[in-house]
Amino acid sequence: MIIKNVNIITKCEILNNYCIEIKDDIITNIAKDIDADNYIDGFGRFLSPGFVDIHIHGGGGYDFLDEGDETYQKITYAHMIHGTTSMVPTLVASSIGDLKKAIGRYKNAKNYTCNLLGLHLEGPYLNKEQCGAINIDCLHDPNIEEAKELIELANGAITRITLAPELANSNELIKLLRENNITISIGHSNATLDIVKNAYNNGANLITHFYSACSSITRRNGYRVLGIIEAGYLIDDLDIEIIADGSHLPIDLLKYIYKFKNHEHISLITDAMRAAGTNLKETYLGKMGEGTECVIEDGVAKLKDRSAFAGSIATCDQLVKTMLKAGVDLNEAINMVTINPIKALGSKFKKGEIKVGNDADIVLFDENIDISLVIINGEIVYKK
Ligand SMILES: [Zn+2]
């Protein structure tokens, strides 16, 4: 497959009026011109790597905790048409029994559209004081035997875990996760800067939805103690992910983050719940019928009493649009939703960057980030 007349967004620059060649599922050539009779005309649109969402709970009316064969198909399709080609299905803290069942369903999932890059367990080892919309009864201190059981059951299918490093037994848990090559993310936590530094030194490399359910400066007997937010700015190599839907973090805060954090360490996530890509007005966060009730208004999910947000209804194209509004240039905004999240996962995948030898996960869009073509593993899966 050859695509001509596109502006290719690579990691460092935009190659105007270029061509790309794909053989099987791999990018094999990027050139000013490629000789071919049959090709796809990009009509001067942008061509970028497919978007990578490393924190996503659902969409299209479904949540990854739902039973039923259609769950993976519905969620991946709902996000794929908005440019997502890879995702890390995220399971919000639930009973251990439900998590085990959901891990089993991940392993048996069929007929899904996007690449699945392994599961993200958002809990259960989180701080109840920073539970956000998560059911507090499902949260507890790390239990190493239980964690081992989950990891063994998943058999390599857990890519990432969010934990609160101030809880008892966290050091042992972090060691276990590192040994199993699982990305360690700090979130739903009241950790102080010292605790974050310790976790970072032991292998944690990411902060889960920066600003949401994260500690900041507190005063203890008059002394100011720094928290996760300050750690995110002070530790250069510590990656942060942000829900760039324009609601969880207002545009001015996105500008602030962009000003003070190296853009190469910022990843955009949807943290989308089941209502993403639907017109639902009332729904649940978590398992259908059993999760936390929420309402959808002003383009975001809220707890029924409106005391807190309960996840976003964003898709990745919207995240890019929001970052452009915040003054980020297109090249950097695209990196934040492609190569940066792949790096945050430890660069285990040949994705997130348009270069020869990488997987052919590609999206085409215009200057309004309106997606017109999606290619996953060399196959056209969506054409507007
Ligand atoms: Zn989440």
Side-chain angles (χ1 to χ4, degrees):
M1 184 194 298
I2 289 167
I3 307 172
K4 290 195 181 196
N5 191 17
V6 279
N7 301 321
I8 300 179
I9 304 177
T10 69
K11 188 180 163 210
C12 304
E13 61 182 332
I14 298 179
L15 305 170
N16 288 308
N17 197 14
Y18 253 65
C19 306
I20 188 166
E21 185 173 18
I22 297 161
K23 279 196 184 126
D24 299 322
D25 52 353
I26 303 290
I27 298 167
T28 52
N29 192 10
I30 300 163
K32 191 75 192 152
D33 196 21
I34 299 172
D35 199 30
D37 294 331
N38 285 320
Y39 60 87
I40 296 169
D41 192 335
F43 296 106
R45 291 191 181 92
F46 291 104
L47 181 149
S48 95
F51 303 150
V52 180
D53 193 353
I54 60 172
H55 189 155
I56 170 170
H57 297 272
Y62 292 78
D63 185 289
F64 285 115
L65 284 167
D66 290 347
E67 290 158 23
D69 296 337
E70 70 281 21
T71 301
Y72 275 76
Q73 196 269 327
K74 296 282 188 189
I75 299 173
T76 53
Y77 186 83
H79 286 273
M80 179 277 289
I81 62 172
H82 293 280
T84 303
T85 58
S86 297
M87 59 171 68
V88 178
T90 299
L91 305 177
V92 73
S94 310
S95 72
I96 295 302
D98 277 348
L99 286 180
K100 284 182 177 172
K101 283 188 218 154
I103 290 170
R105 285 196 297 274
Y106 173 90
K107 287 164 65 181
N108 293 321
K110 292 184 206 65
N111 302 323
Y112 48 82
T113 330
C114 299
N115 296 295
L116 303 178
L117 306 184
L119 287 166
H120 169 203
L121 304 189
E122 192 175 6
Y125 312 124
L126 308 175
N127 193 327
K128 292 184 183 193
E129 290 171 13
Q130 288 282 13
C131 63
I134 300 177
N135 181 352
I136 207 166
D137 298 332
C138 297
L139 305 184
H140 55 268
D141 286 349
N143 174 332
I144 303 304
E145 285 314 308
E146 181 187 272
K148 275 185 188 163
E149 243 180 78
L150 292 172
I151 292 168
E152 247 166 60
L153 173 71
N155 191 22
I158 299 173
T159 287
R160 162 174 188 203
I161 288 184
T162 292
L163 56 83
E166 70 274 25
L167 300 181
N169 311 322
S170 287
N171 283 338
E172 292 95 308
L173 177 63
I174 289 173
K175 184 165 174 278
L176 175 71
L177 300 178
R178 204 184 53 222
E179 285 164 0
N180 284 279
N181 205 16
I182 294 171
T183 295
I184 302 156
S185 194
I186 297 167
H188 291 280
S189 160
N190 267 336
T192 59
L193 174 63
D194 286 345
I195 292 173
V196 176
K197 276 184 183 167
N198 178 61
Y200 170 75
N201 290 333
N202 287 325
N205 71 296
L206 181 60
I207 296 176
T208 300
H209 44 50
F210 197 52
Y211 279 100
S212 301
C214 290
S215 56
S216 181
I217 296 172
T218 50
R219 287 187 90 171
R220 298 181 190 187
N221 303 323
Y223 294 95
R224 287 193 169 79
V225 178
L226 279 60
I228 294 172
I229 298 303
E230 294 72 36
Y233 291 111
L234 286 171
I235 305 173
D236 290 336
D237 290 340
L238 183 55
D239 282 297
I240 62 169
E241 59 170 31
I242 54 176
I243 309 171
D245 64 347
S247 297
H248 283 77
L249 307 175
I251 296 283
D252 283 332
L253 186 50
L254 294 171
K255 287 182 185 171
Y256 181 91
I257 295 168
Y258 180 56
K259 181 166 182 169
F260 295 111
K261 181 75 184 175
N262 182 337
H263 63 85
E264 290 190 16
H265 291 284
I266 300 173
S267 294
L268 311 183
I269 53 156
T270 62
D271 197 10
M273 45 92 73
R274 68 173 71 244
T278 73
N279 295 318
L280 290 171
K281 293 283 166 252
E282 285 198 11
T283 184
Y284 293 84
L285 178 69
K287 198 174 175 186
M288 181 57 94
E290 290 178 27
T292 312
E293 282 185 88
C294 39
V295 293
I296 312 298
E297 58 185 22
D298 312 325
V300 67
K302 299 175 182 174
L303 293 183
K304 228 172 173 189
D305 64 4
R306 276 107 175 147
S307 61
F309 289 155
S312 89
I313 57 165
T315 46
C316 280
D317 52 351
Q318 196 191 327
L319 308 179
V320 175
K321 288 180 204 177
T322 309
M323 294 314 283
L324 296 179
K325 268 190 220 160
V328 176
D329 81 33
L330 179 63
N331 212 154
E332 286 171 3
I334 293 298
N335 286 348
M336 288 178 189
V337 74
T338 55
I339 187 69
N340 296 1
I342 288 293
K343 282 193 294 184
L345 296 180
S347 298
K348 286 174 269 194
F349 307 96
K350 290 179 113 175
K351 297 183 182 297
E353 190 180 354
I354 299 291
K355 68 174 186 184
V356 169
N358 264 15
D359 296 344
D361 297 335
I362 285 168
V363 292
L364 255 68
F365 49 82
D366 63 14
E367 66 280 5
N368 300 315
I369 323 297
D370 188 14
I371 307 289
S372 53
L373 186 73
V374 181
I375 295 171
I376 297 182
N377 296 316
E379 288 197 23
I380 295 174
V381 289
Y382 174 73
K383 203 171 182 181
K384 196 171 185 181

